[in-house]
Amino acid sequence: MRAYTPKDNVQKKSYYTDRFWVAPQVAKSAVSDDAVFAADLDAIKAKFDVLDAYIQVDQMVVVIHANDNYAVLELLKNEREYTQLSEMSAIDWLATEGKFEIFYQMLSMAKRKRVRIKCKIDEKEAIQSVEKLFRCADWSEREMYDMFGVVVNNHPFMKRILMPDDWEGFPLRKTYPLQGDEFAAWYEVDKIFGKEAREIIGPENRDPARIDRYDTKRFARLGHEVPFGTDISQGEPDTPLVYQEQKGVFMVDKFDTQKSVVISDRHR
Amino acid sequence: MQQANRLRPFFENITFDRVDNEMVLNFGPQHPSSHGQLRLMLHMQQEQITKAHPDIGYLHRGMEKMAENMIYNEFMPTTDRMDYIASSSNNYGFALAVEKLIGLEVPRRAKVIRMLLLEINRLMSHLFWLATTALDIGAMTVFLYAFREREYLMDLVEDYCGARLTHAAIRIGGVPLDLPDNFITDLRKFLDKLPANIKDYEDLLDKNRVWLMRMENVGVISKEMALSWGCSGVMLRASGVQWDIRKEEPYELYDEVEFNVPVSDKGDNYARYKLYMAEMRESAKILYQVADMYEGTPTELMAHAPQYISAPKLDIMTQNYALMQHFVLVTQGMRPPVGEVYVPTESPKGELGFYINSQGGPYPYRLKLRGPSFWHTGILTDLLPGHYIPDVVSIIGTTNIVFGEVDR
């Protein structure tokens, strides 16, 4: 019987799991431990619902509702001195929860603090663009759309950024195989020559170490060289190894260790 | 086999309407001064650019996807291919992120060696930047001089790890090797000569009429624009924001060394050029101090954490249990605790960040690479309009983008 592989997450799985092993957690501490973070959190809590908040590895994590994302970032930028959005992207939780998690990594240079704002949206749900607040979100949101298919509302130029415009599928989803799907495998062939040429051209060789011993156009067997492109599938002609001039090659002097100078220092 | 209508356009189907003087110029993706595969679609009125659309993705290898399918140690050589001009700084950023995730303290000698590698990489990157930008603008001599000095640094790195471009010289939990015998002496010899070399470049460029015309008041980035576009590193400091992660959120031994963070409020190409030169001097200063720290440190190179890090080779070859653990760590990989971490480091190009979301498995659940060059390319959308065609080359030059990092 063929082993069952879940279709909703085709990423590599560890082949060995100990069923009694409990994964340790990265320590979380309460926000009240840090006065600066506590003040920021109070400012957010005064206006918005906060689902969860904690400090992990010196950074505050605040979980909010997805439709508050613009307003919370606006508050952080204008009132709490978080002037830079250093990073944002999504995490695919479709297999377990049917949701995307979106995180905004904020930096306050005045306070030397970093905050991560997180929210969750459904697969078909769109999220509000924060491009009006931070211009860098223009590209980040395009990348998020390109990689996950998360649609962003009110974005000035919602288009793929890394993949070609006519690409199908979203590469960073857990359902997308590492080697690419069928569309990816035949992308160039379909586009340039048409689908009907698939059989003539054949699939791409993805194994860089593959050597076809009958291919005399790209490979040569040392000591058994044959003229370029000779068909050797029915056995090869005998080509004995022949050396060049026995007394050395014309115009090439023999290396003499006595006459040479060894440089020990490279004159740094 | 090849269908005529697929590759060759049929011009009889296209009508050319000329409504105004606007011309669309396609710059790249294989332009020698685009420093990689950058394609720019420039809308122009005469020679002046009215709209710019950077188009990226020609070097996209899906590193984040690859990371989700690899054990942590396996991903280390892949990080080399991000900013391949200074690959140890990528190795370091990733190693530090994983160390923060599992809460490791690295031995002091490993820290010293990492500091040396990081600053050597910064010098290499800045020298490379100077060489290629000067070459784009036409200063061939500076290119040759700067590559000569970079060669010495690459020799040093080669002495350490055997590789010149893709070092993979840092491991999670420490460094793989101790410094070779002559490393510190050779480094000092190089550093003694470096100030004279930097002065040579400056003599050639600082007051050069052509250089000034191409650099001064070209590509001015305001402070607001730099902050809004997520700029970091020299791009940010040239616009008047004093922010260096080495200084503000020190990691490794940066809080023990003395160095300045050069800042300018001009925001133009020339300011960025001056900052790169000043940063090289600061790097040299740091290297002198770190070289002095090496002597007398305990000889451990890797952190002791049997659950995550393999034991030293001697233990693996002599002790059964260390061998077993090593086998498990190599075949299955370490399993960091459940949690997430975002760790920024100051790479030569700017803020290099690694976001790791671990679910307790041997593969990261999500790994986001924050390459500073991504936004330094994005800013061209707002920066180029109003400039002229020759300015494009010098602006791309001073943004110091590397496409391994933009496309990842």
Side-chain angles (χ1 to χ4, degrees), chain B residues 235-307:
Chain B
M235 288 282 277
L236 190 62
R237 292 193 283 276
S239 302
V241 184
Q242 178 133 24
W243 180 259
D244 187 322
I245 299 170
R246 292 178 293 170
K247 202 81 172 173
E248 312 295 334
E249 300 170 318
Y251 48 90
E252 223 56 47
L253 301 173
Y254 280 113
D255 46 354
E256 291 179 29
V257 291
E258 198 68 35
F259 67 103
N260 301 322
V261 179
V263 184
S264 164
D265 53 3
K266 289 278 195 303
D268 60 351
N269 282 350
Y270 193 73
R272 291 193 276 277
Y273 153 70
K274 288 306 281 180
L275 289 198
Y276 280 116
M277 304 309 268
E279 280 208 356
M280 279 199 252
R281 294 205 169 90
E282 296 302 322
S283 284
K285 218 188 274 174
I286 296 175
L287 278 172
Y288 269 123
Q289 297 173 46
V290 181
D292 292 338
M293 287 179 187
Y294 176 76
E295 206 58 49
T297 46
T299 53
E300 279 94 48
L301 290 174
M302 294 288 279
H304 177 72
Q307 202 183 344

XYZ file of all heavy atoms in Angstrom, chain B residues 235-307:
601
model
N 22.267 53.985 3.485
C 21.148 54.690 2.852
C 20.391 55.542 3.865
O 19.864 56.593 3.537
C 20.180 53.687 2.231
C 20.685 53.022 1.005
S 20.567 54.095 -0.430
C 18.874 53.826 -0.893
N 20.289 55.047 5.080
C 19.567 55.769 6.126
C 20.457 56.836 6.748
O 20.040 57.964 6.967
C 19.113 54.765 7.183
C 18.137 55.236 8.249
C 16.841 55.663 7.633
C 17.883 54.117 9.236
N 21.708 56.443 7.033
C 22.609 57.379 7.723
C 22.979 58.568 6.837
O 23.212 59.651 7.327
C 23.859 56.643 8.185
C 23.583 55.646 9.293
C 24.847 55.174 9.943
N 25.553 54.193 9.138
C 25.284 52.901 9.134
N 24.328 52.417 9.902
N 25.955 52.057 8.372
N 22.997 58.358 5.511
C 23.298 59.484 4.625
C 22.156 60.483 4.615
O 22.330 61.613 4.209
C 23.563 58.972 3.213
N 20.973 60.057 5.058
C 19.824 60.957 5.089
C 19.611 61.540 6.478
O 18.515 62.006 6.788
C 18.571 60.229 4.631
O 18.756 59.725 3.345
N 20.577 61.467 7.319
C 20.516 62.180 8.583
C 19.909 61.418 9.738
O 19.533 62.006 10.735
N 19.805 60.105 9.653
C 19.301 59.336 10.783
C 20.468 58.573 11.386
O 21.116 57.796 10.698
C 18.205 58.334 10.350
C 17.635 57.631 11.557
C 17.112 59.041 9.596
N 20.745 58.835 12.630
C 21.857 58.141 13.273
C 21.358 56.799 13.782
O 20.807 56.712 14.886
C 22.406 58.969 14.421
C 23.536 58.270 15.162
C 24.712 59.182 15.386
O 24.580 60.380 15.404
N 25.894 58.600 15.545
N 21.519 55.769 13.017
C 21.012 54.466 13.426
C 21.926 53.387 12.873
O 21.972 53.152 11.673
C 19.573 54.244 12.929
C 19.043 52.920 13.351
C 18.961 51.803 12.578
C 18.518 52.553 14.634
N 18.428 50.772 13.302
C 18.147 51.206 14.560
C 18.340 53.249 15.835
C 17.595 50.533 15.655
C 17.790 52.571 16.902
C 17.424 51.238 16.808
N 22.683 52.779 13.754
C 23.532 51.659 13.377
C 23.240 50.555 14.383
O 23.426 50.759 15.585
C 25.002 52.076 13.406
C 25.896 50.979 12.841
O 25.600 49.794 13.113
O 26.862 51.297 12.137
N 22.784 49.427 13.909
C 22.369 48.370 14.835
C 23.535 47.903 15.692
O 23.363 47.538 16.846
C 21.741 47.198 14.059
C 20.515 47.705 13.313
C 21.346 46.063 14.973
C 19.934 46.763 12.337
N 24.756 47.981 15.143
C 25.932 47.590 15.932
C 26.056 48.453 17.172
O 26.553 48.022 18.201
C 27.201 47.760 15.083
C 27.294 46.802 13.940
C 28.537 47.073 13.133
N 28.459 48.357 12.448
C 29.469 48.930 11.841
N 30.644 48.351 11.849
N 29.319 50.081 11.232
N 25.633 49.714 17.040
C 25.764 50.652 18.145
C 24.518 50.645 19.036
O 24.626 50.656 20.266
C 25.965 52.059 17.553
C 26.614 53.036 18.479
C 28.109 52.831 18.474
C 28.821 53.924 19.246
N 30.250 53.594 19.368
N 23.344 50.634 18.408
C 22.102 50.828 19.151
C 21.611 49.548 19.814
O 21.068 49.579 20.908
C 21.014 51.374 18.218
C 21.436 52.555 17.360
C 21.752 53.790 18.189
O 21.209 53.913 19.297
O 22.548 54.626 17.715
N 21.728 48.429 19.115
C 21.302 47.154 19.697
C 22.476 46.196 19.581
O 22.431 45.253 18.799
C 20.095 46.593 18.921
C 18.901 47.508 18.932
C 17.815 47.047 17.969
O 18.144 46.625 16.847
O 16.643 47.079 18.360
N 23.538 46.439 20.347
C 24.789 45.718 20.077
C 24.654 44.209 20.223
O 23.992 43.715 21.130
C 25.759 46.292 21.112
C 24.947 47.032 22.086
C 23.661 47.364 21.465
N 25.258 43.513 19.302
C 25.339 42.066 19.373
C 26.823 41.710 19.371
O 27.670 42.571 19.139
C 24.607 41.416 18.198
C 24.933 41.984 16.846
C 25.968 41.465 16.083
C 24.227 43.075 16.331
C 26.275 41.990 14.856
C 24.542 43.607 15.091
C 25.561 43.061 14.356
O 25.880 43.583 13.127
N 27.120 40.471 19.631
C 28.513 39.995 19.654
C 29.363 40.892 20.563
O 28.949 41.178 21.678
C 29.053 39.938 18.225
C 29.842 38.685 17.943
C 29.045 37.417 18.210
O 27.899 37.282 17.803
O 29.614 36.535 18.850
N 30.516 41.388 20.085
C 31.382 42.189 20.965
C 31.349 43.669 20.599
O 32.250 44.417 20.955
C 32.818 41.670 20.883
C 33.005 40.202 21.266
C 34.432 39.772 20.988
C 32.674 39.990 22.722
N 30.331 44.098 19.897
C 30.317 45.488 19.440
C 30.187 46.481 20.588
O 30.481 47.653 20.426
C 29.195 45.714 18.419
C 29.584 45.227 17.048
C 28.951 44.144 16.469
C 30.611 45.841 16.345
C 29.316 43.687 15.222
C 30.986 45.390 15.099
C 30.330 44.314 14.539
O 30.704 43.854 13.316
N 29.702 46.014 21.754
C 29.636 46.954 22.874
C 30.987 47.088 23.565
O 31.163 47.940 24.423
C 28.545 46.515 23.867
C 28.618 45.036 24.164
O 29.434 44.350 23.505
O 27.877 44.557 25.030
N 31.965 46.236 23.206
C 33.279 46.327 23.841
C 34.276 47.103 22.996
O 35.374 47.390 23.450
C 33.844 44.923 24.099
C 33.068 44.188 25.173
C 33.627 42.795 25.411
O 34.838 42.590 25.195
O 32.842 41.918 25.800
N 33.927 47.377 21.742
C 34.885 48.086 20.887
C 34.451 49.529 20.706
O 33.289 49.871 20.841
C 35.041 47.399 19.503
C 35.731 46.084 19.639
C 33.703 47.264 18.817
N 35.472 50.317 20.397
C 35.282 51.765 20.255
C 35.157 52.072 18.765
O 36.051 51.749 17.992
C 36.530 52.443 20.841
C 36.410 53.881 21.185
C 35.474 54.119 22.360
O 35.443 53.271 23.290
O 34.795 55.123 22.335
N 34.062 52.632 18.338
C 33.975 53.081 16.944
C 32.892 54.147 16.810
O 32.023 54.265 17.653
C 33.696 51.909 15.993
C 32.330 51.279 16.156
C 31.313 51.552 15.250
C 32.058 50.429 17.204
C 30.068 50.970 15.398
C 30.815 49.861 17.360
C 29.818 50.124 16.452
N 32.993 54.924 15.748
C 32.025 55.990 15.509
C 31.061 55.564 14.416
O 31.381 54.721 13.583
C 32.736 57.268 15.069
C 33.710 57.726 16.117
O 33.436 57.626 17.315
N 34.863 58.204 15.683
N 29.896 56.174 14.420
C 28.934 55.946 13.352
C 28.847 57.228 12.532
O 28.272 58.217 12.973
C 27.554 55.582 13.925
C 26.566 55.366 12.804
C 27.659 54.345 14.785
N 29.451 57.226 11.346
C 29.411 58.446 10.533
C 28.000 58.721 9.991
O 27.304 57.793 9.560
C 30.387 58.154 9.399
C 30.545 56.691 9.361
C 30.233 56.153 10.705
N 27.579 59.955 10.058
C 26.252 60.352 9.592
C 26.384 61.588 8.729
O 27.280 62.402 8.922
C 25.323 60.667 10.784
C 23.927 60.986 10.308
C 25.273 59.512 11.736
N 25.492 61.702 7.749
C 25.441 62.915 6.940
C 23.982 63.312 6.769
O 23.103 62.460 6.801
C 26.074 62.646 5.578
O 25.711 63.662 4.677
N 23.703 64.595 6.600
C 22.306 64.973 6.392
C 22.042 65.438 4.972
O 20.977 65.939 4.672
C 21.877 66.052 7.401
C 22.824 67.233 7.375
O 23.752 67.219 6.539
O 22.634 68.158 8.171
N 23.003 65.245 4.093
C 22.824 65.673 2.697
C 21.862 64.753 1.949
O 21.003 65.198 1.223
C 24.171 65.679 1.983
C 25.105 66.791 2.422
C 24.770 68.092 1.720
C 25.876 69.109 1.860
N 26.218 69.411 3.256
N 22.033 63.447 2.115
C 21.146 62.481 1.459
C 21.434 62.240 -0.003
O 20.701 61.503 -0.660
N 22.490 62.822 -0.557
C 22.750 62.593 -1.980
C 23.812 61.514 -2.184
O 24.333 60.934 -1.226
C 23.155 63.901 -2.672
C 24.424 64.494 -2.056
O 24.846 63.987 -1.017
O 24.960 65.454 -2.623
N 24.103 61.249 -3.443
C 25.071 60.202 -3.768
C 26.419 60.467 -3.111
O 27.067 59.559 -2.609
C 25.289 60.155 -5.282
C 24.171 59.443 -5.986
O 23.336 58.828 -5.340
N 24.160 59.526 -7.287
N 26.824 61.742 -3.126
C 28.142 62.071 -2.604
C 28.212 61.784 -1.105
O 29.209 61.275 -0.606
C 28.461 63.542 -2.887
C 29.906 63.884 -2.673
C 30.866 63.453 -3.570
C 30.308 64.624 -1.575
C 32.185 63.757 -3.378
C 31.639 64.934 -1.375
C 32.572 64.486 -2.287
O 33.900 64.776 -2.091
N 27.123 62.064 -0.393
C 27.087 61.785 1.048
C 27.248 60.289 1.287
O 27.986 59.867 2.181
C 25.780 62.278 1.631
N 26.578 59.504 0.479
C 26.696 58.051 0.656
C 28.125 57.587 0.375
O 28.674 56.766 1.101
C 25.697 57.328 -0.252
C 24.272 57.548 0.191
C 23.312 56.604 -0.492
N 22.896 57.071 -1.801
C 21.915 57.938 -2.016
N 21.250 58.439 -1.005
N 21.584 58.299 -3.237
N 28.721 58.165 -0.665
C 30.118 57.817 -0.968
C 31.022 58.152 0.219
O 31.841 57.321 0.641
C 30.560 58.546 -2.241
C 32.036 58.813 -2.335
C 32.930 57.770 -2.529
C 32.546 60.103 -2.218
C 34.285 58.007 -2.596
C 33.888 60.356 -2.288
C 34.762 59.305 -2.467
O 36.107 59.538 -2.524
N 30.830 59.349 0.790
C 31.688 59.731 1.907
C 31.484 58.796 3.102
O 32.422 58.438 3.809
C 31.389 61.180 2.332
C 31.877 62.233 1.373
C 33.337 62.123 1.045
C 34.239 62.681 2.129
N 35.663 62.537 1.730
N 30.231 58.390 3.326
C 29.968 57.490 4.452
C 30.637 56.140 4.249
O 31.158 55.552 5.191
C 28.469 57.302 4.651
C 27.694 58.491 5.191
C 26.363 58.035 5.740
C 28.460 59.207 6.270
N 30.606 55.638 3.022
C 31.278 54.351 2.790
C 32.762 54.459 3.112
O 33.349 53.566 3.731
C 31.089 53.893 1.335
C 29.754 53.249 1.092
C 28.827 53.802 0.234
C 29.408 52.073 1.752
C 27.590 53.222 0.029
C 28.183 51.489 1.556
C 27.276 52.066 0.695
O 26.065 51.482 0.503
N 33.368 55.570 2.705
C 34.797 55.730 2.983
C 35.029 55.824 4.495
O 35.948 55.203 5.030
C 35.337 56.997 2.311
C 35.115 57.053 0.831
S 35.659 55.587 -0.006
C 37.299 55.994 -0.437
N 34.178 56.586 5.170
C 34.346 56.729 6.625
C 34.132 55.389 7.319
O 34.847 55.049 8.268
C 33.370 57.771 7.147
N 33.174 54.620 6.838
C 32.906 53.323 7.472
C 34.062 52.359 7.325
O 34.311 51.535 8.201
C 31.643 52.692 6.867
C 30.391 53.273 7.445
C 29.228 52.296 7.409
O 29.391 51.201 6.861
O 28.181 52.666 7.940
N 34.779 52.472 6.197
C 35.953 51.599 6.029
C 36.978 51.899 7.106
O 37.579 50.995 7.665
C 36.548 51.809 4.642
C 35.823 51.048 3.566
S 36.840 50.890 2.124
C 36.057 51.986 1.013
N 37.168 53.190 7.395
C 38.126 53.563 8.440
C 37.667 53.028 9.795
O 38.471 52.540 10.584
C 38.261 55.082 8.507
C 38.869 55.675 7.273
C 39.532 56.999 7.590
N 40.331 57.438 6.481
C 39.885 58.194 5.482
N 38.644 58.598 5.485
N 40.670 58.534 4.490
N 36.346 53.121 10.048
C 35.827 52.634 11.324
C 36.002 51.123 11.433
O 36.348 50.591 12.487
C 34.343 52.995 11.478
C 34.077 54.480 11.542
C 34.815 55.150 12.674
O 34.928 54.568 13.765
O 35.336 56.268 12.452
N 35.760 50.412 10.314
C 35.945 48.956 10.320
C 37.383 48.603 10.659
O 37.637 47.669 11.425
C 35.594 48.366 8.953
O 34.224 48.312 8.796
N 38.310 49.354 10.072
C 39.721 49.091 10.351
C 40.003 49.291 11.839
O 40.710 48.501 12.467
C 40.586 50.020 9.515
N 39.400 50.325 12.408
C 39.563 50.596 13.832
C 39.051 49.415 14.662
O 39.719 48.960 15.597
C 38.748 51.847 14.145
C 39.411 52.775 15.144
C 38.525 53.855 15.569
C 38.082 55.041 15.299
N 37.173 55.894 15.745
N 37.872 48.929 14.301
C 37.304 47.792 15.028
C 38.217 46.573 14.895
O 38.487 45.872 15.864
C 35.895 47.462 14.499
C 34.944 48.626 14.757
C 35.360 46.204 15.151
C 33.578 48.446 14.166
N 38.727 46.360 13.671
C 39.555 45.167 13.441
C 40.818 45.199 14.295
O 41.223 44.175 14.846
C 39.913 45.064 11.961
C 38.831 44.442 11.089
C 39.191 44.564 9.620
C 38.621 42.985 11.439
N 41.451 46.385 14.429
C 42.625 46.493 15.284
C 42.291 46.049 16.714
O 43.019 45.273 17.336
C 43.111 47.948 15.336
C 44.124 48.302 14.286
C 43.902 49.345 13.406
C 45.318 47.604 14.185
C 44.825 49.683 12.436
C 46.249 47.936 13.222
C 45.999 48.973 12.348
O 46.917 49.297 11.404
N 41.147 46.552 17.208
C 40.788 46.244 18.598
C 40.463 44.768 18.772
O 40.842 44.144 19.763
C 39.577 47.088 19.020
C 39.857 48.568 19.005
C 38.599 49.370 19.263
O 37.841 49.073 20.169
N 38.373 50.384 18.452
N 39.749 44.199 17.797
C 39.344 42.796 17.940
C 40.557 41.874 17.800
O 40.658 40.856 18.480
C 38.250 42.436 16.915
C 37.823 41.003 17.087
C 37.048 43.346 17.093
N 41.500 42.278 16.939
C 42.704 41.466 16.773
C 43.458 41.368 18.100
O 44.051 40.327 18.410
C 43.586 42.070 15.690
N 43.420 42.446 18.881
C 44.086 42.404 20.194
C 43.346 41.501 21.171
O 43.946 40.948 22.092
C 44.150 43.820 20.785
C 45.090 44.704 19.996
O 45.962 44.128 19.314
O 44.938 45.932 20.048
N 42.030 41.361 20.980
C 41.254 40.550 21.921
C 41.522 39.064 21.761
O 41.301 38.282 22.677
C 39.755 40.771 21.682
C 39.233 42.090 22.149
S 37.486 42.138 21.749
C 37.126 43.819 22.162
N 41.975 38.652 20.580
C 42.070 37.220 20.282
C 43.025 36.498 21.225
O 42.702 35.439 21.765
C 42.519 37.037 18.835
C 42.740 35.599 18.456
C 41.659 34.766 18.209
C 44.020 35.065 18.375
C 41.846 33.443 17.874
C 44.221 33.740 18.044
C 43.138 32.941 17.790
O 43.320 31.635 17.476
N 44.185 37.128 21.455
C 45.217 36.485 22.272
C 44.682 36.152 23.670
O 44.088 36.987 24.342
C 46.417 37.446 22.376
C 47.743 36.765 22.613
C 48.081 35.768 21.533
O 47.981 36.117 20.350
O 48.424 34.640 21.892
N 44.856 34.922 24.089
C 44.533 34.563 25.454
C 43.092 34.142 25.700
O 42.721 33.840 26.832
N 42.267 34.118 24.666
C 40.897 33.643 24.892
C 40.915 32.117 25.025
O 41.773 31.451 24.454
C 39.973 34.023 23.724
O 40.651 33.721 22.508
C 39.612 35.485 23.764
N 39.969 31.549 25.798
C 39.892 30.089 25.896
C 39.657 29.470 24.522
O 39.058 30.110 23.649
C 38.687 29.847 26.808
C 38.350 31.155 27.419
C 38.947 32.222 26.604
N 40.101 28.237 24.343
C 40.153 27.692 22.986
C 38.832 27.117 22.474
O 38.784 26.655 21.347
C 41.222 26.588 22.906
O 40.948 25.651 23.956
C 42.606 27.161 23.065
N 37.785 27.122 23.278
C 36.511 26.564 22.768
C 36.018 27.384 21.585
O 36.076 28.610 21.598
C 35.426 26.586 23.835
C 35.480 25.465 24.830
C 36.259 25.879 26.069
O 35.985 26.969 26.585
O 37.148 25.120 26.473
N 35.478 26.658 20.584
C 34.994 27.351 19.393
C 33.491 27.188 19.205
O 32.858 27.973 18.514
C 35.705 26.818 18.145
C 37.175 27.184 18.034
C 37.788 26.483 16.848
C 37.356 28.670 17.904
N 32.941 26.130 19.786
C 31.506 25.898 19.631
C 30.856 25.847 21.004
O 31.438 25.379 21.969
C 31.245 24.567 18.902
C 31.702 24.542 17.467
S 30.682 25.527 16.368
C 29.314 24.438 16.070
N 29.622 26.344 21.063
C 28.898 26.331 22.326
C 28.618 24.894 22.761
O 28.519 23.986 21.938
C 27.585 27.082 22.169
N 28.535 24.687 24.080
C 28.231 23.358 24.573
C 26.722 23.253 24.792
O 26.169 23.799 25.746
C 28.969 23.092 25.881
C 28.647 21.756 26.471
N 29.104 20.590 25.914
C 27.873 21.407 27.524
C 28.646 19.567 26.623
N 27.889 20.039 27.601
N 26.043 22.578 23.892
C 24.603 22.359 24.016
C 24.286 21.068 23.281
O 23.916 21.081 22.115
C 23.828 23.527 23.417
N 24.493 19.932 23.969
C 24.447 18.633 23.289
C 23.143 18.382 22.537
O 23.133 17.645 21.555
C 24.594 17.636 24.437
C 25.100 18.400 25.588
C 24.731 19.813 25.395
N 22.075 19.043 22.977
C 20.795 18.795 22.326
C 20.754 19.424 20.928
O 20.018 18.972 20.056
C 19.706 19.410 23.193
C 18.348 18.801 22.965
C 17.308 19.518 23.809
O 17.637 20.239 24.755
N 16.063 19.318 23.456
